[in-house]
Amino acid sequence: MTERAVPFHCPYCGDEDLRPSGQRHGAWQCAACNRAFHLTFLGLLARGASASDGGEER
């Protein structure tokens, strides 16, 4: 896994003009809507969703 995963779109406006924000890991800023946001990887799910079951629990 890479140290810094790059988001492809702003979660607020959908624009692609994103830049790292400051020194904090996972912080990004959008030049289009002038918002800053933070991305965090929480971890892997205990049971991964498969294409056949649609990701629903039984």
Side-chain angles (χ1 to χ4, degrees):
M1 181 184 298
T2 62
E3 184 174 315
R4 182 178 290 233
V6 179
F8 295 107
H9 300 93
C10 173
Y12 298 101
C13 71
D15 199 83
E16 298 177 0
D17 192 5
L18 303 176
R19 298 181 181 121
S21 180
Q23 298 296 321
R24 187 175 175 193
H25 175 70
W28 293 88
Q29 61 187 15
C30 176
C33 69
N34 204 31
R35 289 186 171 122
F37 57 95
H38 185 256
L39 299 177
T40 304
F41 177 71
L42 299 177
L44 297 174
L45 299 175
R47 178 181 161 261
S50 66
S52 63
D53 67 6
E56 298 175 3
E57 289 190 31
R58 296 178 195 191

